[in-house]
């Protein structure tokens, strides 16, 4: 991947004789939202802590915006924002006062930028209230504001929706998608919740037992249409499909095809013009859960909210 914002190359982590992570390599491009999906104990949090410098790796290399974490840690981390679980603030200060403290840690954060991020996360009405009066959802929004205050290229989120109700999760996703769209921020989103990855992320990386099991573009899954079709006569239809280079599976009197959505009406038209009777067309959307089960050989993502 050219101009990767984050590049993790062959990273290992051991604690004593126990191997926590082995030969981890991932890349994230500009403006991507990548879901790091795995059950509790899979190594997600360890990898996040290595990337943000809270733990030391044993082998490998981590590059952020072209800066080596080992050789130029300050510059590498200067372009990173992070929310590790529920963000912590000084509850006796207002939201704005908390942001002022954080802004003082970075060069070039203007008051104009502070008001800009407050507006972006829609906290204008509460930013001058004490944080102890905030709901969990409001604290998450303030956490996003704090994390993006210095305009990082890479935002790292470790189980950021823990404790949020469904409405809060939806709002959080919307804020994140707006941020990526308006500022081009890249996001690494670690979670054990399948639906969060499916609804938010462009790409999914499966981690299990300290190893990367798979990496796939979710828009490929969502952009392809599995179409179950009843085409008669089916024997001649499958020959026609082979001749025209369509990928299919025969299922009795039905044919299961995988094709782009925009191909569906054109295929239907071609079949009718070729003299076939298309009696039924039923979309069969692939399930991210089925994909996860396949890639982890039957393993399941944890449905609890506990951290590994």
């Amino acid at each position: 991947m050219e101009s990767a914002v984050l590049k993790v190359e062959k990273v290992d982590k051991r604690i004593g004789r126990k191997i926590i992570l082995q030969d981890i390599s991932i890349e994230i491009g500009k403006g991507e939202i990548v879901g790091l999906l795995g059950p509790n104990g899979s190594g997600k949090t360890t990898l996040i802590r290595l990337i943000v410098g809270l733990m030391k790796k044993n082998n490998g290399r981590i590059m952020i915006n072209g800066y080596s974490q080992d050789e130029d840690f300050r510059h590498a981390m200067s372009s990173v924002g992070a929310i590790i679980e529920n963000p912590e603030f000084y509850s006796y200060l207002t939201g704005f006062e908390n942001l002022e403290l954080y802004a003082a840690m970075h060069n070039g954060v203007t008051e104009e930028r502070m008001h800009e991020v407050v507006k972006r996360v829609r906290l204008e009405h509460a930013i001058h209230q004490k944080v102890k009066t905030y709901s969990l959802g409001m604290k998450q929004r303030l956490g996003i504001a704090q994390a993006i205050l210095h305009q990082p290229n890479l935002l790292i989120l470790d189980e950021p929706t823990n404790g949020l109700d469904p409405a809060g999760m939806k709002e959080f996703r919307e804020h994140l998608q707006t941020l990526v769209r308006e500022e081009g921020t890249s996001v690494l989103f670690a979670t054990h919740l399948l639906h969060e990855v499916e609804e938010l992320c462009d790409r999914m990386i499966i981690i299990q037992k300290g190893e990367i099991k798979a990496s796939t573009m979710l828009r490929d899954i969502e952009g392809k249409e599995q179409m179950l079709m009843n085409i008669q006569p089916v024997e001649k239809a499958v020959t026609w499909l082979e001749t025209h280079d369509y990928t299919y599976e025969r299922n009795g009197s039905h044919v299961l095809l995988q094709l782009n959505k925009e191909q569906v009406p054109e295929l239907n038209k071609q079949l009718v013009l070729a003299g076939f009777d298309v009696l039924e067309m039923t979309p069969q959307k692939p399930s991210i859960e089925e994909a996860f089960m396949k890639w982890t050989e039957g393993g399941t993502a944890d449905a609890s909210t506990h951290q590994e």
Side-chain angles (χ1 to χ4, degrees):
M1 180 184 299
E2 294 184 9
S3 63
V5 174
L6 171 67
K7 184 179 289 188
V8 178
E9 298 178 327
K10 297 185 176 300
V11 164
D12 297 330
K13 176 61 181 176
R14 299 184 304 274
I15 298 179
R17 294 184 177 180
K18 185 176 182 180
I19 298 174
I20 308 300
L21 295 173
Q22 185 172 7
D23 198 29
I24 300 294
S25 294
I26 63 173
E27 292 188 16
I28 298 178
K30 181 176 174 60
E32 267 197 306
I33 305 180
V34 177
L36 182 63
L37 179 65
N40 288 342
S42 60
K44 298 189 308 294
T45 293
T46 299
L47 179 55
I48 292 294
R49 291 180 178 276
L50 291 176
I51 293 171
V52 299
L54 295 177
M55 295 179 73
K56 295 291 186 181
K57 62 189 181 304
N58 294 100
N59 296 299
R61 185 171 72 151
I62 297 174
M63 303 286 292
I64 302 174
N65 283 310
Y67 293 105
S68 168
Q69 193 193 67
D70 293 325
E71 298 169 9
D72 198 343
F73 183 82
R74 184 174 65 86
H75 278 106
M77 290 298 108
S78 68
S79 54
V80 176
I83 303 176
I84 309 298
E85 283 196 300
N86 298 328
E88 297 293 333
F89 302 101
Y90 293 106
S91 61
Y92 57 88
L93 297 179
T94 68
F96 198 78
E97 288 169 339
N98 273 277
L99 290 182
E100 286 179 318
L101 289 175
Y102 192 76
M105 302 177 191
H106 298 274
N107 295 325
V109 178
T110 64
E111 188 166 338
E112 180 182 2
R113 173 62 179 173
M114 293 173 66
H115 287 293
E116 179 185 333
V117 298
V118 168
K119 183 177 181 180
R120 174 155 291 147
V121 299
R122 299 204 299 268
L123 270 179
E124 303 101 306
H125 67 289
I127 197 62
H128 295 295
Q129 298 174 13
K130 293 186 184 299
V131 171
K132 65 183 178 183
T133 67
Y134 283 19
S135 66
L136 180 56
M138 292 167 66
K139 289 179 180 177
Q140 290 286 16
R141 280 189 272 163
L142 185 61
I144 294 177
Q146 176 178 286
I148 67 172
L149 199 57
H150 58 300
Q151 296 181 288
N153 298 103
L154 175 64
L155 183 60
I156 297 177
L157 308 172
D158 186 21
E159 305 281 1
T161 58
N162 274 355
L164 293 181
D165 60 19
M169 289 183 179
K170 182 175 183 295
E171 184 181 50
F172 184 84
R173 288 195 300 269
E174 290 172 351
H175 287 311
L176 208 56
Q177 288 164 337
T178 300
L179 170 68
V180 171
R181 183 171 62 251
E182 294 183 357
E183 297 205 356
T185 308
S186 304
V187 180
L188 178 61
F189 184 95
T191 184
H192 57 259
L193 302 175
L194 289 167
H195 72 275
E196 284 294 308
V197 172
E198 187 169 29
E199 294 183 24
L200 178 64
C201 299
D202 302 314
R203 184 158 55 95
M204 173 175 66
I205 295 173
I206 302 289
I207 185 170
Q208 188 180 48
K209 297 180 180 178
E211 297 182 10
I212 299 296
K213 296 295 185 179
S215 175
T216 184
M217 298 296 295
L218 292 182
R219 56 174 167 261
D220 285 350
I221 293 178
E222 295 173 354
K224 293 285 187 180
E225 191 76 35
Q226 281 193 341
M227 188 67 64
L228 187 64
M229 303 181 69
N230 184 348
I231 312 170
Q232 298 300 323
V234 67
E235 289 80 7
K236 291 184 178 179
V238 295
T239 301
W240 185 93
L241 291 169
E242 285 181 0
T243 302
H244 290 78
D245 296 324
Y246 283 97
T247 300
Y248 73 92
E249 292 180 19
R250 173 82 179 270
N251 185 7
S253 62
H254 290 71
V255 178
L256 182 66
L257 295 105
Q258 184 169 334
L259 64 168
N260 294 325
K261 291 181 180 180
E262 59 268 20
Q263 291 179 289
V264 175
E266 180 61 26
L267 173 59
N268 185 39
K269 179 181 176 180
Q270 289 179 356
L271 288 167
V272 172
L273 290 175
F276 295 103
D277 293 324
V278 182
L279 304 179
E280 184 181 8
M281 299 177 68
T282 307
Q284 306 285 309
K285 184 177 179 181
S287 166
I288 191 174
E289 183 174 6
E290 291 174 1
F292 180 86
M293 296 286 283
K294 170 187 172 184
W295 285 317
T296 59
E297 299 178 350
T300 58
D302 197 297
S304 73
T305 57
H306 294 294
Q307 188 64 27
E308 61 207 61

